[in-house]
Amino acid sequence: MTDINKSQHGEWSSRMAFIMAATGSAVGLGNIWKFPYITGENGGGAFVLVYLLCVLLIGIPIMMAEIMLGRRGRKNPVSTLVTLAKEAAADSKWRYLGGAGILAGFLILSYYSVIAGWATAYILKAFTGSFSGVDATATKAIFDDFIASPMRLIFWHTLFLLATMLIVARGIYDGLEKAVRFMIPALFGVMLLLLAYSMTTSGYFQGLKFLFYPDFSKLNGNSILIAMGQAFFSLGIGMGSVMIYGAYLPKNISIANSSIIIAIADTLFALLAGLVIFPLVFSYGLQPNLGAGLIFETLPIAFGNMPGGWLFGLLFFIMLVFAALSSSIALIEPAVTWLIECKNMSREQACIRSGLTVWVLGFGSVFSFNSWSGFKIFGNTFFELIDYLTANLMLPIGSLAIALFAGWVIKQQHSEQELAIPDQQHYKIWQFLIKYVAPAAVFLVFLDVIGVL
Ligand code: PHE
């Protein structure tokens, strides 16, 4: 007989295995590609401050809640919510929260895979010495030329997604776990080296100031929402993938400690990326608000001009692709487990179905950078629209619902038991944050955006 307290897909072998996998899911393009470019677009320091506050006060408590729900439910997000709603004698409509999360994962992966495709292509560029001695004009020309071709972007998108789906098809354990264990620390190492280079450039202090000096006049309702959405996106919460990882978590592992470690690692990567990129931006006369191409237009300058740069460039893009892979499998895992558990598919079938859907959706993002770049919906390209819809609406709403469910719906006795925080005072702090602070914050930010505040 199967043990009902365990997920049918297995369990993490140790606390370290869980932390590495969850950190792998958290650390990805969100930290290294997205954080710098949206910080650049939203004026720097004040935006970063809001982001950090969101991670600390809303992100960590919600991450704990989501892992907790996953571990208690032990299934895909939809079934987990059905089980837990039943246990709490609540409405089974909570399952739609799981469904919305699965959809968000699909949508995010559709463009995530396109951008990860760029990073994959840049491995080759680094290897063939394309960045040797380049300046800002040259990196822009390389990037513009690259994204102009839909076929090329489709090729790299296909390759990356294929790799993702092959890993997912093999199951969570043998998948990426081993590679990520070594890639994440190695990526950190290369980024430290890049930081050392950035520190030698003339714009270092200007970059530092841009990142950390808060100019509140640069903030508005929308940029606060983007900062909050980024906190959720970067931690990977609000869409069920942390829930799924929680479902594989053995009972004796502390959810609170693990969440804090994951959040610290995630935040460090984002700040480090900012510390590397902005000095380059100012040293080479670029603008911080270059948009989605920011890291592809700045980092190659460093690789092209530092000693041994081609090798570090090569390593950097390889590791970035691994970091993206460990996030993309987390994005698709909720959908795959749902198809297996609720639609009776084999893992392979589930991967083929979901992979193909994401692949086709991704074309919309591919064309956003070339053939359809002039085609705007509410002033946004298809890519920008999907990004806004997911990061700034679906993840905050999903996170809000998780907070409400964990704080108000399930019995206090159950959350206490599941979180097993030794110090009652600490449990109370979590409870306060999840019941009041997180929901109120998300709600107020929404009110602000629609202009009610
Ligand atoms: N956190 C990942 C990143 O920053 C993206 C992600 C979002 C992964 C949501 C899982 C769930 O790149």
Side-chain angles (χ1 to χ4, degrees):
M1 213 178 95
T2 52
D3 180 348
I4 50 154
N5 286 319
K6 286 195 174 161
S7 156
Q8 72 174 75
H9 308 282
E11 262 193 5
W12 303 110
S13 50
S14 65
R15 167 164 177 256
M16 201 51 197
F18 168 69
I19 292 186
M20 286 317 287
T23 307
S25 138
V27 175
L29 296 175
N31 311 60
I32 291 157
W33 160 75
K34 196 171 179 199
F35 173 77
Y37 100 72
I38 60 174
T39 298
E41 285 178 341
N42 289 282
F47 177 85
V48 174
L49 191 66
V50 176
Y51 163 74
L52 292 176
L53 282 176
C54 287
V55 169
L56 189 69
L57 296 177
I58 324 178
I60 294 177
I62 293 180
M63 177 173 247
M64 288 171 58
E66 194 175 331
I67 298 176
M68 169 186 95
L69 298 179
R71 185 163 74 180
R72 203 166 175 85
R74 294 270 175 218
K75 294 194 190 80
N76 71 82
V78 178
S79 311
T80 284
L81 285 159
V82 170
T83 312
L84 297 184
K86 201 188 255 168
E87 184 182 64
D91 199 315
S92 70
K93 289 209 179 57
W94 280 102
R95 69 178 182 280
Y96 290 116
L97 169 58
I102 289 174
L103 182 65
F106 261 122
L107 294 175
I108 296 175
L109 186 57
S110 77
Y111 75 76
Y112 203 88
S113 163
V114 173
I115 311 292
W118 300 359
T120 318
Y122 267 59
I123 296 178
L124 206 63
K125 291 197 193 298
F127 182 67
T128 54
S130 309
F131 306 139
S132 164
V134 288
D135 58 8
T137 327
T139 54
K140 182 173 167 25
I142 295 174
F143 180 71
D144 287 347
D145 172 63
F146 172 66
I147 60 166
S149 154
M151 283 322 280
R152 209 178 302 153
L153 298 196
I154 289 176
F155 172 79
W156 293 107
H157 160 56
T158 309
L159 195 69
F160 180 83
L161 194 60
L162 211 57
T164 303
M165 297 325 295
L166 278 174
I167 294 165
V168 178
R170 289 182 56 199
I172 191 109
Y173 288 123
D174 351 322
L176 259 197
E177 203 181 302
K178 292 189 199 80
V180 168
R181 247 174 212 239
F182 140 87
M183 285 293 171
I184 298 270
L187 180 62
F188 196 74
V190 174
M191 294 196 43
L192 284 180
L193 264 174
L194 282 170
L195 177 64
Y197 176 80
S198 268
M199 288 173 85
T200 65
T201 61
S202 59
Y204 183 66
F205 287 101
Q206 210 182 336
L208 208 61
K209 184 170 170 216
F210 181 80
L211 198 59
F212 292 119
Y213 178 79
D215 174 356
F216 291 102
S217 69
K218 300 239 170 81
L219 273 189
N220 58 39
N222 203 39
S223 55
I224 294 177
L225 175 63
I226 297 174
M228 185 174 76
Q230 173 64 10
F232 298 150
F233 182 87
S234 190
L235 294 170
I237 56 178
M239 50 137 298
S241 88
V242 169
M243 210 181 274
I244 274 290
Y245 277 30
Y248 308 138
L249 188 64
K251 281 279 174 214
N252 55 355
I253 293 178
S254 159
I255 293 179
N257 292 348
S258 311
S259 304
I260 292 170
I261 295 174
I262 297 161
I264 291 177
D266 186 59
T267 308
L268 270 180
F269 267 97
L271 294 179
L272 195 53
L275 280 172
V276 169
I277 307 281
F278 290 111
L280 296 177
V281 166
F282 295 112
S283 304
Y284 291 97
L286 294 163
Q287 292 303 320
N289 60 350
L290 275 182
L294 183 65
I295 69 161
F296 296 94
E297 293 185 37
T298 49
L299 290 180
I301 307 177
F303 298 133
N305 293 286
M306 66 199 263
W310 76 269
L311 181 64
F312 296 127
L314 182 68
L315 292 176
F316 174 83
F317 284 113
I318 291 177
M319 289 178 299
L320 182 59
V321 169
F322 269 90
L325 268 175
S326 59
S327 299
S328 61
I329 58 171
L331 282 163
I332 201 69
E333 185 70 20
V336 169
T337 42
W338 175 69
L339 290 174
I340 298 172
E341 290 174 356
C342 298
K343 300 288 163 204
N344 284 324
M345 286 188 197
S346 67
R347 197 165 251 279
E348 287 73 20
Q349 278 173 323
C351 286
I352 293 173
R353 287 280 174 97
S354 43
L356 276 177
T357 318
V358 170
W359 184 63
V360 174
L361 259 176
F363 288 14
S365 290
V366 163
F367 296 138
S368 300
F369 295 98
N370 35 64
S371 333
W372 294 357
S373 58
F375 171 63
K376 301 268 167 89
I377 315 156
F378 304 119
N380 290 300
T381 61
F382 183 85
F383 155 73
E384 288 163 345
L385 196 72
I386 298 265
D387 177 35
Y388 197 90
L389 181 72
T390 50
N392 303 331
L393 297 175
M394 295 179 85
L395 296 190
I397 294 172
S399 298
L400 170 69
I402 288 171
L404 293 176
F405 189 76
W408 296 93
V409 177
I410 71 167
K411 292 200 182 67
Q412 170 166 341
Q413 176 203 348
H414 289 160
S415 64
E416 248 183 301
Q417 184 190 353
E418 202 63 53
L419 288 175
I421 303 175
D423 186 334
Q424 182 67 14
Q425 214 54 35
H426 290 170
Y427 173 79
K428 288 275 171 221
I429 297 176
W430 172 81
Q431 199 184 31
F432 179 72
L433 292 172
I434 209 80
K435 272 184 124 161
Y436 304 103
V437 177
V442 177
F443 194 63
L444 288 176
V445 173
F446 276 130
L447 285 187
D448 194 18
V449 171
I450 55 177
V452 176
L453 284 189

